[in-house]
Amino acid sequence: MNLLFSINRKFVPLWAQCMATILRHGGADRYDLYVLHSDLTRADQDQMNQVLRPADSCTLIQVPDSLFQGFPVSGRYPLQIYYRLAAPLLLPRELDRILYLDVDTVILNSLAPLYTSDFGGAGFMACSHTRKFMDKVNQARLGMEEEVPYLNSGVLLMNLEQLRQMVRLEDIRDYAEQYRRRLILPDQDILTALFGSRALVLDSRIYNMTDRLFLRCGAVPATRLSLDWVRRNTVVVHYLGKPKPWQKNYIGPLGCFYREERALF
């Protein structure tokens, strides 16, 4: 199974925690990791290899900062968030598909059903956490004519063969410059605006469960979920936003899964 991450040095410990849950529950006999970065060292790679099994591999791909020079960044959204958008152009051409994961995720069940899914002509698979009203707001904000759901970029199964024909770094740069003042979550905004019409939307309860989604489901008896349901059915728990379970003041209902996995790390 090919896995993709995009991190800088300070996220290596968090990556290790995420990877530990993949090794426990992900369901593959072998993982071939590709890590897009700009500052990882040989010592970092040695540390990462210690987490992996002998059958697994980890390839670091250094991305020149010049590729994304001038793109909007902040303390919360570093330059590395854009790397995943250009991943089809940066990864080895022999790869036909890859699963990208944010490192603030915990894997509870097998990734294999997702990884082996038929793209059905889609360029990638992703989840959406927004409702129709906010979809329309985002469509207007981002200059989209088509009714495309706003996508979360934390879990992406990429059809690399097709995406290599779609992704142009110049288009990403031009869009980022044109809509600079409207971008709120830059990578997700660009992903949705430029490529959202080519996405197959997955069930967020299974592949991108968040605290907010869990609480929203619980607000309506017909859609209410239990933590046991999450444990048995959800594949990816995503601790997006702040605070996180490893930070102070976190009170989200899904923190129990992080604590359970952390105790085994």
Side-chain angles (χ1 to χ4, degrees), residues 135-136 138-140 143-149 192-193 196-198:
D135 281 340
K136 292 186 178 299
N138 286 317
Q139 288 158 15
M144 295 186 295
E145 296 181 0
E146 298 185 59
E147 293 189 1
V148 176
T192 301
S197 63
R198 305 298 299 272

Side-chain angles (χ1 to χ4, degrees), residues 71-128:
F71 278 50
V73 295
S74 66
R76 183 177 178 185
Y77 302 109
L79 205 59
Q80 285 77 14
I81 64 172
Y82 297 108
Y83 293 178
R84 78 195 84 176
L85 299 179
L89 309 178
L90 299 170
L91 291 166
R93 293 195 64 83
E94 62 266 22
L95 301 182
D96 62 348
R97 68 172 59 201
I98 198 165
L99 176 61
Y100 170 84
L101 293 169
D102 275 354
V103 294
D104 57 353
T105 56
V106 164
I107 307 306
L108 300 182
N109 289 292
S110 176
L111 292 165
L114 170 61
Y115 188 79
T116 57
S117 295
D118 185 351
F119 283 103
F124 62 97
M125 301 182 195
C127 294
S128 176

Side-chain angles (χ1 to χ4, degrees), residues 143-203:
M144 295 186 295
E145 296 181 0
E146 298 185 59
E147 293 189 1
V148 176
Y150 186 77
L151 302 173
N152 181 273
S153 60
V155 181
L156 301 171
L157 182 63
M158 299 182 178
N159 181 348
L160 293 174
E161 291 183 325
Q162 186 171 133
L163 287 173
R164 289 188 189 104
Q165 302 173 30
M166 296 165 47
V167 175
R168 295 176 69 249
L169 196 57
E170 296 81 1
D171 294 339
I172 298 173
R173 186 186 306 278
D174 290 346
Y175 183 88
E177 182 60 33
Q178 181 179 355
Y179 287 90
R180 174 184 295 269
R181 296 182 182 275
R182 299 189 189 184
L183 300 180
I184 298 174
L185 303 172
D187 60 316
Q188 292 186 170
D189 289 348
I190 296 171
L191 177 76
T192 301
L194 294 184
F195 311 114
S197 63
R198 305 298 299 272
L200 180 63
V201 180
L202 302 168
D203 187 339

